Amino acid sequence: MQKRSLTYYLLLAFFCLFVLFLYGPMITIFMLSMQGPDGGLTFPMRGFSFYWLGQVFQEQRVGNFIEPFVRSLILGAAVMAITIAASVLASMGFRQRFKGSTVIFYMTIASLIVPSILVSLGIGVVFQVMGWPTNWFTSGLGAHLTWTLPIAFLIMLGIFNRFNPSYEEAARDLGATDSKTFWEIVMPLIAPSLLGVGLLTFTLSYDEFTRTSLVSGQSNTLPLEIFGMTTNVTSPALYALGTLTTLFSASLILIAFFAYNAVVRRQRGKA
Amino acid sequence: MSETWKTLKPYALITPQTLVFLLFLVFPILMIGVVSFWEFNGYSMTPAFTLANYQGILTDVTFKTYLNTFKFLGMVWLATLLIGYPVAYFLAFHVPKLEWQILLFLVCTIPFWTSNIIRMISWVPLLGREGLVNQMFMGVGLIQQPMEFLLYSDFAVVLGMVHLYIIFMIAPIFNSLMRIERSLVTAAEDLGASGLQVFREVILPLSAPGIAIGSIFIVTLVMGEFVTVRLMGGGQSASVGKLIQTQIGSLQYPLAAANAIVLLAVTMLIIISILRVLDIRKEL
């Protein structure tokens, strides 16, 4: 028994180091973005203030950040809406066996594991050959969907796996049509999970870089703008921007997980 | 409800999603294949059938770039496995309550949903010439000169990728470890197996599919990688993804396409060989 507890403590220490490895770098830039006005890019911290966080919103310091931010918000919302609609429909389709479902399933997996640069290049080539200009809201939107849709679809499959079909059967026995059953029975039950999936989809799109990078056209999304800043911004404003955008994503994720957890608990309580 | 509608319903339901994949995944990749045979005269491409692009990339430089990419892949794979497995194992077998397991797993997952770019930038104040690591080592007198290899180097590229992608190794391993029947472990212990034997004979074989899925993710993520190589690597750090990106930057689409097709083929070969060694079907 003594040996077992030693393994436990070793693994616990290893796990703590791992968490430090995951979060440590993030924490350093949080700290450095709270420096005084004459702060630099490295430690030690020079003073403490919210000066740099405020500077993010001043145009002259870090270039234009508001417009890419707004673009990323709009794109994220559009990606979220399409992803939710398409993945809910598709996962409902998968509740019933049908010919070709394996092919469709593997196509979804392929979308997830094809090297991102191929998706980006491919969409770029199609637009080039067709003579269409690439744009964040056309080619960029498509590139985002190849990333968010398979993830949302796999989560939705999991949700419907746990879903109790007797409610729907009851509704149908009482004479409800398919669409009525969906809106009055299925939708209220999956709504909280949809909120979770939606927020996850939004942050995936909001932070996407690789697949967008070759097809965003003239106007950058926020991650692309930040990537551009890495070479020419040499003040803690860059860290401040990183801090703000990370806090934004992280809070969305936390809301998503809590919403999802709440619904799982509620359904378990009912079952 | 008519029988025809019942058969057709699933097809109607999957149509929007399938259209998205056909339009933005299948068709573009087919187009890459087509364009890779087109003629390219330095500034524009014309439909044709030529192998010139493939001949054009059969050079020493391409070969070395692939070798370098394999080097990154090997190091990232080994590091994510050696770090990821103990983490997943700890969560699955040493954390007592399900609530705690989920919570700690969440803690590992959250950074994955935030911006990759920011996560890479975060290494700068730690690893730079005047970064925290160098300051500490010089402070205690271990080194006189700041270590240059920490940032903008192959080391930094591998570190960056491990940091970004390790969750893709942890999640599938954690998943397969959680599915192992605890009674199997108890049975092995009752029959007198030592802790190491239980791990080697029971736990490791049963978690192999998780390792396989994690490895497939790492392969596909690292093989096409160019952002980390650009941000964290020095000017001379090379990868296939970066090569393709450079060619696209100078609008050499047919060359980039030929390279991408070779990259896809190589990636598929690696994945197929992983699947030959380990069967993952029961995980899906």
Side-chain angles (χ1 to χ4, degrees):
Chain A
M1 255 10 242
Q2 191 57 40
K3 192 167 166 274
R4 228 181 142 71
S5 66
L6 179 68
T7 346
Y8 170 78
Y9 286 113
L10 285 177
L11 283 170
L12 177 67
F14 189 80
F15 182 79
C16 293
L17 281 177
F18 173 70
V19 172
L20 187 69
F21 166 71
L22 270 191
Y23 286 85
M26 214 66 239
I27 294 167
T28 57
I29 72 158
F30 284 4
M31 287 165 68
L32 288 173
S33 61
M34 306 276 203
Q35 293 181 90
D38 48 348
L41 285 177
T42 51
F43 284 100
M45 283 181 70
R46 295 174 187 84
F48 177 89
S49 73
F50 295 111
Y51 175 80
W52 294 106
L53 294 176
Q55 280 301 311
V56 169
F57 302 95
Q58 310 294 313
E59 245 181 62
Q60 67 278 11
R61 278 280 183 175
V62 288
N64 195 348
F65 136 82
I66 304 290
E67 276 177 37
F69 176 67
V70 172
R71 260 177 233 131
S72 279
L73 288 186
I74 298 173
L75 184 59
V79 168
M80 181 173 80
I82 298 173
T83 302
I84 293 255
S87 67
V88 167
L89 289 176
S91 53
M92 300 233 322
F94 266 76
R95 297 175 73 191
Q96 181 176 338
R97 284 181 176 276
F98 62 95
K99 236 187 211 143
S101 62
T102 326
V103 179
I104 302 287
F105 184 77
Y106 279 114
M107 190 162 78
T108 312
I109 301 291
S111 189
L112 202 58
I113 67 171
V114 158
S116 299
I117 194 164
L118 269 125
V119 175
S120 213
L121 169 65
I123 296 176
V125 164
V126 168
F127 274 65
Q128 177 82 12
V129 168
M130 298 290 182
W132 301 331
T134 50
N135 240 320
W136 58 273
F137 52 85
T138 53
S139 44
L141 176 76
H144 279 208
L145 288 174
T146 63
W147 179 230
T148 56
L149 201 42
I151 295 182
F153 172 73
L154 291 177
I155 300 177
M156 288 313 301
L157 276 188
I159 290 170
F160 277 120
N161 264 343
R162 265 203 300 268
F163 194 82
N164 187 349
S166 52
Y167 300 121
E168 288 157 276
E169 279 156 24
R172 242 178 250 124
D173 288 347
L174 293 169
T177 59
D178 269 5
S179 72
K180 201 170 168 92
T181 313
F182 176 77
W183 287 111
E184 299 205 356
I185 306 292
V186 180
M187 196 57 182
L189 285 171
I190 62 169
S193 351
L194 283 193
L195 176 72
V197 176
L199 287 171
L200 288 185
T201 304
F202 181 87
T203 69
L204 279 180
S205 161
Y206 175 78
D207 290 319
E208 213 297 323
F209 179 84
T210 320
R211 293 183 189 220
T212 336
S213 61
L214 305 172
V215 293
S216 71
Q218 293 293 315
S219 317
N220 280 342
T221 58
L222 187 60
L224 269 70
E225 190 73 18
I226 295 175
F227 182 73
M229 285 177 195
T230 55
T231 46
N232 52 34
V233 175
T234 51
S235 74
L238 181 64
Y239 297 156
L241 179 52
T243 302
L244 290 178
T245 173
T246 303
L247 289 180
F248 179 66
S249 309
S251 46
L252 290 182
I253 301 151
L254 287 177
I255 298 173
F257 279 122
F258 283 122
Y260 182 74
N261 260 6
V263 72
V264 168
R265 208 167 296 149
R266 217 175 60 185
Q267 280 177 357
R268 210 178 281 156
K270 273 182 192 167
Chain B
M1 195 164 44
S2 77
E3 272 312 297
T4 355
W5 169 237
K6 215 173 168 195
T7 0
L8 284 181
K9 198 171 103 182
Y11 294 101
L13 288 171
I14 60 161
T15 302
Q17 173 165 319
T18 309
L19 274 181
V20 169
F21 287 139
L22 287 178
L23 209 62
F24 293 108
L25 181 78
V26 178
F27 181 55
I29 287 179
L30 291 178
M31 258 334 254
I32 295 179
V34 171
V35 165
S36 71
F37 294 108
W38 283 12
E39 265 168 13
F40 182 67
N41 62 8
Y43 55 92
S44 72
M45 51 185 180
T46 38
F49 186 83
T50 168
L51 293 174
N53 301 312
Y54 286 95
Q55 284 159 358
I57 59 169
L58 275 178
T59 59
D60 271 3
V61 180
T62 317
F63 186 66
K64 274 189 194 136
T65 311
Y66 266 94
L67 277 188
N68 210 42
T69 312
F70 288 140
K71 188 184 79 186
F72 284 143
L73 175 60
M75 288 159 82
V76 172
W77 177 76
L78 200 65
T80 49
L81 182 62
L82 291 182
I83 301 170
Y85 201 99
V87 168
Y89 181 81
F90 173 75
L91 287 177
F93 283 95
H94 284 282
V95 178
K97 271 192 178 152
L98 185 67
E99 282 82 8
W100 277 98
Q101 285 176 322
I102 293 173
L103 185 78
L104 290 179
F105 180 68
L106 246 164
V107 167
C108 298
T109 321
I110 290 173
F112 157 70
W113 302 95
T114 65
S115 165
N116 282 1
I117 306 287
I118 304 287
R119 291 179 70 194
M120 279 185 264
I121 296 171
S122 314
W123 284 105
V124 175
L126 284 174
L127 300 179
R129 266 184 66 91
E130 283 143 44
L132 207 56
V133 173
N134 271 325
Q135 282 180 24
M136 271 165 52
F137 275 101
M138 283 168 69
V140 295
L142 271 174
I143 49 168
Q144 312 308 317
Q145 295 289 315
M147 294 180 282
E148 300 274 357
F149 75 91
L150 288 176
L151 195 61
Y152 309 125
S153 62
D154 284 0
F155 167 78
V157 172
V158 173
L159 183 79
M161 290 193 206
V162 171
H163 191 232
L164 290 183
Y165 302 139
I166 192 162
I167 189 65
F168 289 96
M169 189 61 110
I170 294 177
I173 295 179
F174 176 65
N175 181 41
S176 56
L177 287 175
M178 290 294 278
R179 290 180 181 203
I180 296 177
E181 278 286 339
R182 299 302 136 125
S183 52
L184 289 176
V185 178
T186 323
E189 276 166 354
D190 288 350
L191 292 170
S194 70
L196 195 65
Q197 275 175 320
V198 172
F199 177 72
R200 227 181 35 207
E201 306 288 333
V202 180
I203 296 174
L204 193 58
L206 286 173
S207 59
I211 299 178
I213 295 177
S215 305
I216 290 173
F217 272 119
I218 298 291
V219 168
T220 60
L221 286 164
V222 176
M223 284 307 286
E225 166 64 68
F226 65 94
V227 185
T228 315
V229 182
R230 231 165 234 287
L231 261 181
M232 307 277 286
Q236 70 279 30
S237 290
S239 77
V240 185
K242 189 176 161 190
L243 184 68
I244 295 175
Q245 196 219 7
T246 312
Q247 285 166 341
I248 297 165
S250 49
L251 298 176
Q252 298 171 302
Y253 281 107
L255 269 183
N259 253 322
I261 292 297
V262 176
L263 171 68
L264 187 63
V266 171
T267 310
M268 286 303 152
L269 269 180
I270 303 177
I271 293 178
I272 290 168
S273 20
I274 293 175
L275 292 178
R276 286 233 147 172
V277 182
L278 296 164
D279 185 17
I280 61 165
R281 246 170 305 172
K282 52 178 180 264
E283 290 290 296
L284 296 174

